[in-house]
Amino acid sequence: MADAGRPHGSDKDSLGNILKVAISMCLVCSIVVSTAAVVLKPLQEINKELDRKQNILRAAGMLPQDSKRAADGRGIEELFAEFDIRAVDLDTGSYVDAVDVTTFDPIKSARVAALSRELTVDEDIAVIGRREKVSLVYVIAGESGIEKLVLPVRGYGLWGTLFGYLAVEGDLSTIAGLGFHQHKETPGLGGEVDNPAWKALWPGVALFDDAGEPAVRLVKIRSPESNSDARFEVDALSGATLTTRGVENLVNFWTGELGFGPFFAALRTDLQQKSGDRD
Ligand SMILES: Cc1cc2nc3c(=O)[nH]c(=O)nc-3n(C[C@H](O)[C@H](O)[C@H](O)COP(=O)(O)O)c2cc1C
């Protein structure tokens, strides 16, 4: 026998040796994985931030859906620099200056009882459970007022919450675009929210009816252009009624009284005052 005469303690296949090797391997691997996680974290944060900017620009129609450059050659950072990021108190509609908008995360706030409000079943048409007290808005303002406004929106579809951005034109009542950067809907069904052809149906749609109430409707058959309801309508997603209903509800929730409604009202008052001053 080859092992004859070898002292029992030096057996390399012994349980002690196997455990030593296994533990050393685990230790080395965990050090490699945690070092990689720590070293790559800043890079991941930069990429996440770039992705957020890209999604906002795409919703606003300032960046093509399939490119990282605008037609005039400007890149994401240059285009995004046009936006002013502001925090808004959703209950009053006023700007809040005591918030660092570069680090503030409204979604995280929504999970904290003191920083959010619980919605009743009747209020919660977007099925988000809690709504943050303060959110962020992305504004491009010119001499005559707001030119473009982008709002973070979210709501439940069929399989989970859809997170996106709704862009609004300077008239504060016409949609400039809508895009979702995170959702769990089925590709080919609810996942068609990402289809550029469907997204192209949103610009120009009217947000509010004559009474100022959110009025967007996702419909299987659109009204004739001559019908005044046609301005609120977007095609439903075929075979995805639940996602469709979720999208309609989330748009109307975030533009309504419990969402950015008070902010829209404050902006309209501001706009009226400015035009009054000019007259
Ligand atoms: C595997 C699978 C995935 C589905 N994914 C979605 C989805 O992402 N969004 C959705 O609204 N419906 C989805 N549905 C369909 C819903 O269960 C439901 O039938 C549908 O929303 C009804 O839409 P319709 O009235 O247009 O047929 C899925 C169904 C199956 C079997």
Side-chain angles (χ1 to χ4, degrees), residues 157-159 184-192 220 237-245:
L158 172 61
W159 303 114
K184 295 178 180 155
E185 305 308 286
T186 315
L189 294 170
E192 286 295 287
K220 289 193 175 162
L237 297 161
S238 66
T241 300
L242 297 168
T243 308
T244 298
R245 199 178 304 150

Side-chain angles (χ1 to χ4, degrees), residues 129-209:
R130 305 192 70 86
R131 191 224 65 196
E132 57 277 20
K133 288 183 179 164
V134 173
S135 188
L136 295 178
V137 292
Y138 303 84
V139 186
I140 299 181
E143 275 179 17
S144 54
I146 285 183
E147 289 175 2
K148 203 88 87 171
L149 175 65
V150 182
L151 313 171
V153 293
R154 67 182 187 281
Y156 212 79
L158 172 61
W159 303 114
T161 303
L162 296 104
F163 296 86
Y165 291 103
L166 173 71
V168 182
E169 298 291 0
D171 64 2
L172 304 176
S173 59
T174 306
I175 294 178
L178 174 69
F180 295 101
H181 53 276
Q182 194 186 323
H183 66 76
K184 295 178 180 155
E185 305 308 286
T186 315
L189 294 170
E192 286 295 287
V193 289
D194 295 330
N195 187 328
W198 186 74
K199 293 207 277 191
L201 302 174
W202 285 86
V205 170
L207 279 171
F208 304 107
D209 61 18

